[in-house]
Amino acid sequence: MDTIKKIEKEFLKDRIEDFSIGDTLKVHLKIKEGTRERTQLFMGTLIARKGTGLNETITLRKISYSEGVERVLILHSPMVEKIEVVRKGQVRQAKLYYLRDKVGKKAKVKEKK
Amino acid sequence: MKTMRMGLLGKKIGMTRIFKENVTIPITVIETGPCAVTKKKSPDKDGYGAIQIGFDECSEKKMTKPVAGQFQKSKVSPRRVLNEIRLSEDELAKYAIGQEIKVDSVFSAGDIIDVVGTSKGSGFTGVIKRHNFKSFKETHGTHEVKRHGGSIGAAFPQHVLKGTRMAGQHGNSRTTLQNLEIVEVRPDENLLFVKGSIPGAKGGYVMVKKAVKL
């Protein structure tokens, strides 16, 4: 297994921004369009963080034009350029899958004071 | 006539992912070579041209005396696995007994390869898992026979046809996966990165060959 760990180490990012479940994050994504490269923003609530090492992923959920949108992002991927914490959330669960069934005010996470 | 294509013996290390140009690529890491040429077969003497390569050095105590004697004769350190590769006469001249073949002399990134290995054994398995039979309905009156194979033949010819698919040993057999792509070659560590999965468990021995269907 040591060989695998050594390979994975080359691709791990030195530093991952500090955030926790329930936070609203703004993620800068590198998108390639033909030869041009641009940055796309995706803002949503962090509802799950899974995996370890190179396989660590985050799931962001947002409501876009009254339709729920979720994106699963690989944390160590070079596509994920930067992560900003917009708002801290006050939650009790590690996975906020219950938000999928809620609408309106109940589908919101309380702000951490 | 068998196709002549060079290959190397290796060992499956495991799977991971790497990133290339913002895209994640699933890879299998194979420790490939260095393989020593332990024997040469010539068309004049043996009727066909081939080299025998050995991989994974081990103690002489691990093998029987007749096998150990072969290594003493060829003056190569004892190897755990041996395999023969058929080659054309021009290719045959490139290799000498005792020569160590490194991974970068055979493969390079972008090559298409076949990988031969021993698949993971599942033991004695029923027809659903082994031959992808459909299982019976879970409800609507089905009882006791949810995972049976059903009928194995008609009243005539009064016996079961040969090759009828039934339960039995599944896996632990020689398996070839064709047309896999080499993502990267690391000659310093004797590593080969192959896109996708390969047969067998971690630590299993595999044969990496240039693709037959190219």
Side-chain angles (χ1 to χ4, degrees):
Chain A
M1 277 314 281
D2 275 349
T3 320
I4 296 285
K5 275 190 183 148
K6 226 168 89 185
I7 296 161
E8 286 184 350
K9 222 175 173 182
E10 292 168 32
F11 293 94
L12 285 176
K13 282 179 187 168
D14 301 333
R15 201 185 136 265
I16 293 287
E17 289 83 348
D18 195 29
F19 50 77
S20 49
I21 301 292
D23 292 357
T24 306
L25 304 181
K26 196 190 259 179
V27 185
H28 297 244
L29 298 165
K30 259 193 254 173
I31 305 281
K32 217 172 181 185
E33 283 174 342
T35 51
R36 218 163 56 88
E37 216 178 51
R38 66 180 184 89
T39 309
Q40 194 186 59
L41 291 175
F42 187 88
M43 200 165 98
T45 317
L46 180 65
I47 63 164
R49 189 170 177 172
K50 284 180 170 185
T52 53
L54 208 52
N55 300 319
E56 194 169 353
T57 60
I58 53 170
T59 308
L60 294 177
R61 182 182 169 84
K62 75 165 177 180
I63 306 292
S64 175
Y65 298 104
S66 68
E67 184 66 53
V69 178
E70 273 180 31
R71 273 198 89 159
V72 182
L73 301 164
I74 301 163
L75 258 187
H76 289 274
S77 165
M79 202 180 121
V80 179
E81 222 177 358
K82 204 170 99 185
I83 300 171
E84 284 173 55
V85 181
V86 180
R87 181 173 167 267
K88 283 263 170 200
Q90 175 82 53
V91 288
R92 290 178 165 201
Q93 267 75 32
K95 306 277 186 286
L96 308 182
Y97 297 142
Y98 68 88
L99 289 179
R100 290 169 177 170
D101 306 325
K102 306 281 187 220
V103 281
K105 210 172 174 184
K106 277 184 176 163
K108 273 193 156 184
V109 174
K110 250 196 222 165
E111 188 162 2
K112 202 174 184 177
K113 296 273 159 59
Chain B
M1 182 74 187
K2 269 188 177 174
T3 45
M4 317 263 185
R5 48 208 175 99
M6 188 58 193
L8 281 178
L9 286 164
K11 196 189 219 174
K12 179 169 169 179
I13 301 291
M15 286 192 77
T16 184
R17 57 154 54 108
I18 60 168
F19 300 107
K20 253 182 190 173
E21 288 161 6
N22 298 354
V23 181
T24 164
I25 305 168
I27 58 156
T28 308
V29 181
I30 310 173
E31 190 189 330
T32 323
C35 293
V37 181
T38 49
K39 206 184 270 182
K40 270 178 97 170
K41 301 224 169 170
S42 64
D44 315 328
K45 208 178 155 195
D46 306 287
Y48 64 97
I51 55 166
Q52 190 194 55
I53 55 169
F55 172 66
D56 210 2
E57 280 185 56
C58 68
S59 156
E60 213 177 77
K61 284 179 189 164
K62 298 258 180 196
M63 51 191 69
T64 59
K65 275 184 183 172
V67 178
Q70 303 243 337
F71 286 107
Q72 279 161 13
K73 199 184 163 195
S74 60
K75 293 194 178 67
V76 177
S77 57
R79 308 291 165 126
R80 210 180 288 265
V81 273
L82 293 170
N83 214 322
E84 222 173 71
I85 300 166
R86 293 190 67 156
L87 293 174
S88 63
E89 269 186 70
D90 324 334
E91 287 235 35
L92 206 59
K94 279 194 232 166
Y95 302 103
I97 289 176
Q99 187 186 338
E100 294 266 350
I101 311 170
K102 293 271 273 179
V103 58
D104 54 333
S105 66
V106 183
F107 302 111
S108 53
D111 282 2
I112 304 296
I113 52 160
D114 296 344
V115 177
V116 188
T118 308
S119 59
K120 276 185 186 175
S122 299
F124 195 97
T125 313
V127 285
I128 308 240
K129 190 173 191 168
R130 193 168 181 232
H131 298 298
N132 301 323
F133 278 21
K134 277 200 181 66
S135 54
F136 286 67
K137 279 175 188 164
E138 285 291 309
T139 54
H140 295 291
T142 316
H143 57 96
E144 282 109 29
V145 291
K146 284 174 187 168
R147 290 177 72 89
H148 287 211
S151 166
I152 53 167
F156 184 78
Q158 297 198 332
H159 61 83
V160 177
L161 293 173
K162 264 192 176 177
T164 300
R165 293 174 296 168
M166 294 188 197
Q169 165 71 30
H170 181 52
N172 192 20
S173 60
R174 184 188 156 97
T175 309
T176 308
L177 259 182
Q178 293 180 329
N179 298 338
L180 300 169
E181 192 191 328
I182 294 178
V183 179
E184 204 176 314
V185 181
R186 297 199 173 173
D188 304 336
E189 298 150 291
N190 300 313
L191 294 181
L192 204 63
F193 293 179
V194 177
K195 188 175 175 183
S197 56
I198 65 165
K202 283 176 207 163
Y205 291 111
V206 291
M207 182 82 184
V208 184
K209 278 186 155 187
K210 292 205 169 143
V212 62
K213 291 178 184 168
L214 209 62

mmCIF file of all heavy atoms in Angstrom, chain B residues 104-140:
data_model
loop_
_atom_site.group_PDB
_atom_site.id
_atom_site.type_symbol
_atom_site.label_atom_id
_atom_site.label_comp_id
_atom_site.label_asym_id
_atom_site.label_seq_id
_atom_site.Cartn_x
_atom_site.Cartn_y
_atom_site.Cartn_z
ATOM 1 N N ASP B 104 10.645 0.605 -19.193
ATOM 2 C CA ASP B 104 10.620 1.677 -20.197
ATOM 3 C C ASP B 104 11.191 1.242 -21.550
ATOM 4 O O ASP B 104 11.009 1.937 -22.547
ATOM 5 C CB ASP B 104 11.350 2.918 -19.673
ATOM 6 C CG ASP B 104 12.747 2.607 -19.217
ATOM 7 O OD1 ASP B 104 12.980 1.449 -18.830
ATOM 8 O OD2 ASP B 104 13.606 3.493 -19.229
ATOM 9 N N SER B 105 11.878 0.084 -21.578
ATOM 10 C CA SER B 105 12.399 -0.386 -22.871
ATOM 11 C C SER B 105 11.311 -1.088 -23.682
ATOM 12 O O SER B 105 11.473 -1.345 -24.865
ATOM 13 C CB SER B 105 13.585 -1.320 -22.643
ATOM 14 O OG SER B 105 13.156 -2.490 -21.998
ATOM 15 N N VAL B 106 10.208 -1.426 -23.030
ATOM 16 C CA VAL B 106 9.136 -2.152 -23.726
ATOM 17 C C VAL B 106 7.900 -1.282 -23.929
ATOM 18 O O VAL B 106 7.319 -1.231 -24.999
ATOM 19 C CB VAL B 106 8.763 -3.437 -22.944
ATOM 20 C CG1 VAL B 106 7.715 -4.228 -23.702
ATOM 21 C CG2 VAL B 106 9.986 -4.294 -22.684
ATOM 22 N N PHE B 107 7.503 -0.559 -22.865
ATOM 23 C CA PHE B 107 6.271 0.219 -22.932
ATOM 24 C C PHE B 107 6.552 1.712 -22.785
ATOM 25 O O PHE B 107 7.531 2.113 -22.172
ATOM 26 C CB PHE B 107 5.313 -0.201 -21.813
ATOM 27 C CG PHE B 107 4.949 -1.654 -21.845
ATOM 28 C CD1 PHE B 107 5.399 -2.519 -20.872
ATOM 29 C CD2 PHE B 107 4.162 -2.156 -22.859
ATOM 30 C CE1 PHE B 107 5.069 -3.857 -20.908
ATOM 31 C CE2 PHE B 107 3.820 -3.496 -22.905
ATOM 32 C CZ PHE B 107 4.278 -4.345 -21.921
ATOM 33 N N SER B 108 5.653 2.504 -23.370
ATOM 34 C CA SER B 108 5.696 3.939 -23.138
ATOM 35 C C SER B 108 4.267 4.447 -22.977
ATOM 36 O O SER B 108 3.318 3.750 -23.330
ATOM 37 C CB SER B 108 6.398 4.641 -24.306
ATOM 38 O OG SER B 108 5.781 4.262 -25.507
ATOM 39 N N ALA B 109 4.128 5.639 -22.431
ATOM 40 C CA ALA B 109 2.803 6.202 -22.184
ATOM 41 C C ALA B 109 2.017 6.306 -23.483
ATOM 42 O O ALA B 109 2.564 6.680 -24.522
ATOM 43 C CB ALA B 109 2.929 7.569 -21.532
ATOM 44 N N GLY B 110 0.728 5.947 -23.428
ATOM 45 C CA GLY B 110 -0.106 6.008 -24.613
ATOM 46 C C GLY B 110 -0.258 4.680 -25.327
ATOM 47 O O GLY B 110 -1.116 4.541 -26.193
ATOM 48 N N ASP B 111 0.580 3.702 -24.972
ATOM 49 C CA ASP B 111 0.487 2.380 -25.593
ATOM 50 C C ASP B 111 -0.810 1.677 -25.209
ATOM 51 O O ASP B 111 -1.358 1.900 -24.135
ATOM 52 C CB ASP B 111 1.665 1.499 -25.132
ATOM 53 C CG ASP B 111 2.952 1.831 -25.862
ATOM 54 O OD1 ASP B 111 2.915 2.759 -26.675
ATOM 55 O OD2 ASP B 111 3.965 1.162 -25.599
ATOM 56 N N ILE B 112 -1.275 0.811 -26.097
ATOM 57 C CA ILE B 112 -2.458 0.005 -25.810
ATOM 58 C C ILE B 112 -1.982 -1.418 -25.489
ATOM 59 O O ILE B 112 -1.174 -1.997 -26.226
ATOM 60 C CB ILE B 112 -3.424 -0.005 -27.019
ATOM 61 C CG1 ILE B 112 -3.804 1.423 -27.423
ATOM 62 C CG2 ILE B 112 -4.668 -0.813 -26.710
ATOM 63 C CD1 ILE B 112 -4.580 2.196 -26.395
ATOM 64 N N ILE B 113 -2.454 -1.951 -24.371
ATOM 65 C CA ILE B 113 -1.953 -3.239 -23.899
ATOM 66 C C ILE B 113 -3.090 -4.197 -23.542
ATOM 67 O O ILE B 113 -4.242 -3.799 -23.381
ATOM 68 C CB ILE B 113 -1.040 -3.067 -22.659
ATOM 69 C CG1 ILE B 113 -1.758 -2.245 -21.584
ATOM 70 C CG2 ILE B 113 0.279 -2.457 -23.021
ATOM 71 C CD1 ILE B 113 -1.193 -2.417 -20.213
ATOM 72 N N ASP B 114 -2.717 -5.482 -23.413
ATOM 73 C CA ASP B 114 -3.603 -6.495 -22.853
ATOM 74 C C ASP B 114 -2.986 -6.940 -21.526
ATOM 75 O O ASP B 114 -1.769 -7.019 -21.416
ATOM 76 C CB ASP B 114 -3.697 -7.717 -23.772
ATOM 77 C CG ASP B 114 -4.333 -7.385 -25.108
ATOM 78 O OD1 ASP B 114 -4.966 -6.317 -25.193
ATOM 79 O OD2 ASP B 114 -4.177 -8.180 -26.045
ATOM 80 N N VAL B 115 -3.829 -7.221 -20.547
ATOM 81 C CA VAL B 115 -3.316 -7.690 -19.258
ATOM 82 C C VAL B 115 -3.928 -9.063 -18.957
ATOM 83 O O VAL B 115 -5.142 -9.234 -19.011
ATOM 84 C CB VAL B 115 -3.634 -6.697 -18.123
ATOM 85 C CG1 VAL B 115 -3.154 -7.241 -16.795
ATOM 86 C CG2 VAL B 115 -2.996 -5.358 -18.394
ATOM 87 N N VAL B 116 -3.054 -10.040 -18.690
ATOM 88 C CA VAL B 116 -3.498 -11.392 -18.362
ATOM 89 C C VAL B 116 -3.240 -11.631 -16.880
ATOM 90 O O VAL B 116 -2.140 -11.390 -16.394
ATOM 91 C CB VAL B 116 -2.721 -12.449 -19.190
ATOM 92 C CG1 VAL B 116 -3.327 -13.827 -18.970
ATOM 93 C CG2 VAL B 116 -2.710 -12.092 -20.651
ATOM 94 N N GLY B 117 -4.262 -12.068 -16.179
ATOM 95 C CA GLY B 117 -4.089 -12.337 -14.754
ATOM 96 C C GLY B 117 -5.021 -13.431 -14.304
ATOM 97 O O GLY B 117 -5.756 -14.018 -15.096
ATOM 98 N N THR B 118 -4.987 -13.729 -13.007
ATOM 99 C CA THR B 118 -5.890 -14.713 -12.431
ATOM 100 C C THR B 118 -6.968 -13.969 -11.664
ATOM 101 O O THR B 118 -6.670 -13.222 -10.741
ATOM 102 C CB THR B 118 -5.128 -15.664 -11.492
ATOM 103 O OG1 THR B 118 -4.018 -16.182 -12.201
ATOM 104 C CG2 THR B 118 -6.011 -16.795 -11.030
ATOM 105 N N SER B 119 -8.226 -14.160 -12.077
ATOM 106 C CA SER B 119 -9.314 -13.393 -11.461
ATOM 107 C C SER B 119 -9.535 -13.836 -10.021
ATOM 108 O O SER B 119 -9.148 -14.933 -9.624
ATOM 109 C CB SER B 119 -10.589 -13.567 -12.272
ATOM 110 O OG SER B 119 -10.930 -14.929 -12.341
ATOM 111 N N LYS B 120 -10.166 -12.980 -9.252
ATOM 112 C CA LYS B 120 -10.465 -13.283 -7.855
ATOM 113 C C LYS B 120 -11.420 -14.468 -7.793
ATOM 114 O O LYS B 120 -12.414 -14.522 -8.531
ATOM 115 C CB LYS B 120 -11.149 -12.083 -7.198
ATOM 116 C CG LYS B 120 -10.198 -11.026 -6.694
ATOM 117 C CD LYS B 120 -10.996 -9.961 -5.972
ATOM 118 C CE LYS B 120 -10.108 -8.803 -5.564
ATOM 119 N NZ LYS B 120 -10.888 -7.717 -4.984
ATOM 120 N N GLY B 121 -11.163 -15.421 -6.920
ATOM 121 C CA GLY B 121 -12.012 -16.601 -6.816
ATOM 122 C C GLY B 121 -13.242 -16.328 -5.976
ATOM 123 O O GLY B 121 -13.170 -15.652 -4.962
ATOM 124 N N SER B 122 -14.397 -16.832 -6.428
ATOM 125 C CA SER B 122 -15.631 -16.676 -5.660
ATOM 126 C C SER B 122 -16.087 -18.001 -5.070
ATOM 127 O O SER B 122 -17.157 -18.082 -4.474
ATOM 128 C CB SER B 122 -16.741 -16.124 -6.542
ATOM 129 O OG SER B 122 -16.377 -14.867 -7.039
ATOM 130 N N GLY B 123 -15.326 -19.095 -5.310
ATOM 131 C CA GLY B 123 -15.714 -20.402 -4.789
ATOM 132 C C GLY B 123 -16.857 -21.000 -5.572
ATOM 133 O O GLY B 123 -17.090 -20.649 -6.733
ATOM 134 N N PHE B 124 -17.595 -21.925 -4.924
ATOM 135 C CA PHE B 124 -18.729 -22.578 -5.585
ATOM 136 C C PHE B 124 -19.897 -21.601 -5.594
ATOM 137 O O PHE B 124 -20.378 -21.175 -4.555
ATOM 138 C CB PHE B 124 -19.095 -23.854 -4.828
ATOM 139 C CG PHE B 124 -19.992 -24.757 -5.607
ATOM 140 C CD1 PHE B 124 -19.467 -25.821 -6.316
ATOM 141 C CD2 PHE B 124 -21.360 -24.557 -5.638
ATOM 142 C CE1 PHE B 124 -20.289 -26.664 -7.040
ATOM 143 C CE2 PHE B 124 -22.181 -25.393 -6.364
ATOM 144 C CZ PHE B 124 -21.645 -26.458 -7.063
ATOM 145 N N THR B 125 -20.331 -21.226 -6.783
ATOM 146 C CA THR B 125 -21.303 -20.146 -6.914
ATOM 147 C C THR B 125 -22.523 -20.614 -7.697
ATOM 148 O O THR B 125 -22.405 -21.430 -8.608
ATOM 149 C CB THR B 125 -20.639 -18.969 -7.656
ATOM 150 O OG1 THR B 125 -19.374 -18.737 -7.088
ATOM 151 C CG2 THR B 125 -21.452 -17.721 -7.565
ATOM 152 N N GLY B 126 -23.674 -20.070 -7.353
ATOM 153 C CA GLY B 126 -24.916 -20.406 -8.050
ATOM 154 C C GLY B 126 -24.989 -19.777 -9.426
ATOM 155 O O GLY B 126 -24.141 -18.966 -9.819
ATOM 156 N N VAL B 127 -26.044 -20.143 -10.171
ATOM 157 C CA VAL B 127 -26.148 -19.710 -11.567
ATOM 158 C C VAL B 127 -26.433 -18.217 -11.729
ATOM 159 O O VAL B 127 -26.116 -17.630 -12.751
ATOM 160 C CB VAL B 127 -27.231 -20.496 -12.333
ATOM 161 C CG1 VAL B 127 -26.750 -21.893 -12.656
ATOM 162 C CG2 VAL B 127 -28.531 -20.538 -11.568
ATOM 163 N N ILE B 128 -27.043 -17.605 -10.711
ATOM 164 C CA ILE B 128 -27.382 -16.183 -10.827
ATOM 165 C C ILE B 128 -26.109 -15.351 -10.910
ATOM 166 O O ILE B 128 -25.955 -14.483 -11.770
ATOM 167 C CB ILE B 128 -28.233 -15.758 -9.624
ATOM 168 C CG1 ILE B 128 -29.387 -16.714 -9.490
ATOM 169 C CG2 ILE B 128 -28.616 -14.285 -9.720
ATOM 170 C CD1 ILE B 128 -30.740 -16.312 -9.553
ATOM 171 N N LYS B 129 -25.153 -15.646 -10.016
ATOM 172 C CA LYS B 129 -23.910 -14.895 -10.000
ATOM 173 C C LYS B 129 -22.978 -15.362 -11.117
ATOM 174 O O LYS B 129 -22.299 -14.564 -11.749
ATOM 175 C CB LYS B 129 -23.235 -15.093 -8.638
ATOM 176 C CG LYS B 129 -22.059 -14.199 -8.395
ATOM 177 C CD LYS B 129 -21.578 -14.348 -6.974
ATOM 178 C CE LYS B 129 -20.578 -13.282 -6.650
ATOM 179 N NZ LYS B 129 -20.296 -13.221 -5.215
ATOM 180 N N ARG B 130 -22.962 -16.656 -11.373
ATOM 181 C CA ARG B 130 -21.976 -17.232 -12.296
ATOM 182 C C ARG B 130 -22.347 -17.006 -13.761
ATOM 183 O O ARG B 130 -21.484 -16.743 -14.600
ATOM 184 C CB ARG B 130 -21.855 -18.725 -12.022
ATOM 185 C CG ARG B 130 -20.665 -19.388 -12.685
ATOM 186 C CD ARG B 130 -20.475 -20.781 -12.131
ATOM 187 N NE ARG B 130 -19.323 -21.421 -12.739
ATOM 188 C CZ ARG B 130 -19.370 -22.628 -13.304
ATOM 189 N NH1 ARG B 130 -20.481 -23.312 -13.309
ATOM 190 N NH2 ARG B 130 -18.286 -23.145 -13.830
ATOM 191 N N HIS B 131 -23.615 -17.125 -14.097
ATOM 192 C CA HIS B 131 -24.015 -16.998 -15.508
ATOM 193 C C HIS B 131 -25.039 -15.898 -15.745
ATOM 194 O O HIS B 131 -25.671 -15.855 -16.793
ATOM 195 C CB HIS B 131 -24.591 -18.331 -15.992
ATOM 196 C CG HIS B 131 -23.631 -19.461 -15.946
ATOM 197 N ND1 HIS B 131 -22.472 -19.468 -16.680
ATOM 198 C CD2 HIS B 131 -23.631 -20.610 -15.230
ATOM 199 C CE1 HIS B 131 -21.813 -20.592 -16.435
ATOM 200 N NE2 HIS B 131 -22.484 -21.292 -15.556
ATOM 201 N N ASN B 132 -25.250 -15.051 -14.764
ATOM 202 C CA ASN B 132 -26.204 -13.945 -14.873
ATOM 203 C C ASN B 132 -27.615 -14.408 -15.233
ATOM 204 O O ASN B 132 -28.296 -13.792 -16.060
ATOM 205 C CB ASN B 132 -25.728 -12.902 -15.895
ATOM 206 C CG ASN B 132 -24.385 -12.335 -15.519
ATOM 207 O OD1 ASN B 132 -24.109 -12.145 -14.341
ATOM 208 N ND2 ASN B 132 -23.545 -12.091 -16.495
ATOM 209 N N PHE B 133 -28.047 -15.525 -14.655
ATOM 210 C CA PHE B 133 -29.434 -15.961 -14.828
ATOM 211 C C PHE B 133 -30.337 -14.975 -14.111
ATOM 212 O O PHE B 133 -29.921 -14.292 -13.174
ATOM 213 C CB PHE B 133 -29.634 -17.356 -14.210
ATOM 214 C CG PHE B 133 -29.209 -18.484 -15.099
ATOM 215 C CD1 PHE B 133 -28.312 -18.295 -16.139
ATOM 216 C CD2 PHE B 133 -29.702 -19.760 -14.890
ATOM 217 C CE1 PHE B 133 -27.913 -19.339 -16.946
ATOM 218 C CE2 PHE B 133 -29.305 -20.815 -15.696
ATOM 219 C CZ PHE B 133 -28.413 -20.618 -16.720
ATOM 220 N N LYS B 134 -31.604 -14.950 -14.538
ATOM 221 C CA LYS B 134 -32.566 -14.104 -13.832
ATOM 222 C C LYS B 134 -33.100 -14.885 -12.639
ATOM 223 O O LYS B 134 -33.357 -16.089 -12.747
ATOM 224 C CB LYS B 134 -33.720 -13.760 -14.775
ATOM 225 C CG LYS B 134 -33.414 -12.603 -15.687
ATOM 226 C CD LYS B 134 -34.700 -12.003 -16.213
ATOM 227 C CE LYS B 134 -34.422 -10.857 -17.149
ATOM 228 N NZ LYS B 134 -33.746 -11.270 -18.386
ATOM 229 N N SER B 135 -33.305 -14.184 -11.534
ATOM 230 C CA SER B 135 -33.872 -14.893 -10.387
ATOM 231 C C SER B 135 -35.392 -14.890 -10.508
ATOM 232 O O SER B 135 -35.964 -14.124 -11.277
ATOM 233 C CB SER B 135 -33.415 -14.247 -9.086
ATOM 234 O OG SER B 135 -33.706 -12.886 -9.108
ATOM 235 N N PHE B 136 -36.012 -15.764 -9.708
ATOM 236 C CA PHE B 136 -37.470 -15.862 -9.741
ATOM 237 C C PHE B 136 -38.075 -14.652 -9.053
ATOM 238 O O PHE B 136 -37.393 -13.912 -8.349
ATOM 239 C CB PHE B 136 -37.924 -17.155 -9.045
ATOM 240 C CG PHE B 136 -37.651 -18.383 -9.869
ATOM 241 C CD1 PHE B 136 -36.347 -18.785 -10.121
ATOM 242 C CD2 PHE B 136 -38.680 -19.155 -10.373
ATOM 243 C CE1 PHE B 136 -36.072 -19.919 -10.868
ATOM 244 C CE2 PHE B 136 -38.418 -20.295 -11.121
ATOM 245 C CZ PHE B 136 -37.107 -20.674 -11.367
ATOM 246 N N LYS B 137 -39.382 -14.506 -9.210
ATOM 247 C CA LYS B 137 -40.075 -13.407 -8.542
ATOM 248 C C LYS B 137 -39.960 -13.571 -7.035
ATOM 249 O O LYS B 137 -40.037 -14.684 -6.517
ATOM 250 C CB LYS B 137 -41.551 -13.428 -8.933
ATOM 251 C CG LYS B 137 -41.843 -12.795 -10.264
ATOM 252 C CD LYS B 137 -43.311 -13.001 -10.586
ATOM 253 C CE LYS B 137 -43.608 -12.568 -11.994
ATOM 254 N NZ LYS B 137 -44.896 -13.093 -12.439
ATOM 255 N N GLU B 138 -39.786 -12.445 -6.352
ATOM 256 C CA GLU B 138 -39.668 -12.500 -4.896
ATOM 257 C C GLU B 138 -41.026 -12.735 -4.250
ATOM 258 O O GLU B 138 -41.111 -13.260 -3.147
ATOM 259 C CB GLU B 138 -39.061 -11.204 -4.374
ATOM 260 C CG GLU B 138 -37.579 -11.064 -4.619
ATOM 261 C CD GLU B 138 -36.738 -12.029 -3.808
ATOM 262 O OE1 GLU B 138 -36.927 -12.101 -2.570
ATOM 263 O OE2 GLU B 138 -35.888 -12.730 -4.390
ATOM 264 N N THR B 139 -42.090 -12.307 -4.936
ATOM 265 C CA THR B 139 -43.432 -12.443 -4.367
ATOM 266 C C THR B 139 -44.330 -13.194 -5.352
ATOM 267 O O THR B 139 -43.836 -13.880 -6.232
ATOM 268 C CB THR B 139 -44.036 -11.061 -4.087
ATOM 269 O OG1 THR B 139 -43.980 -10.296 -5.279
ATOM 270 C CG2 THR B 139 -43.309 -10.347 -2.980
ATOM 271 N N HIS B 140 -45.608 -13.049 -5.215
ATOM 272 C CA HIS B 140 -46.606 -13.700 -6.063
ATOM 273 C C HIS B 140 -46.497 -15.220 -5.998
ATOM 274 O O HIS B 140 -46.504 -15.910 -7.023
ATOM 275 C CB HIS B 140 -46.504 -13.218 -7.511
ATOM 276 C CG HIS B 140 -46.829 -11.774 -7.682
ATOM 277 N ND1 HIS B 140 -48.110 -11.281 -7.521
ATOM 278 C CD2 HIS B 140 -46.049 -10.699 -7.926
ATOM 279 C CE1 HIS B 140 -48.085 -9.972 -7.690
ATOM 280 N NE2 HIS B 140 -46.861 -9.589 -7.919
#
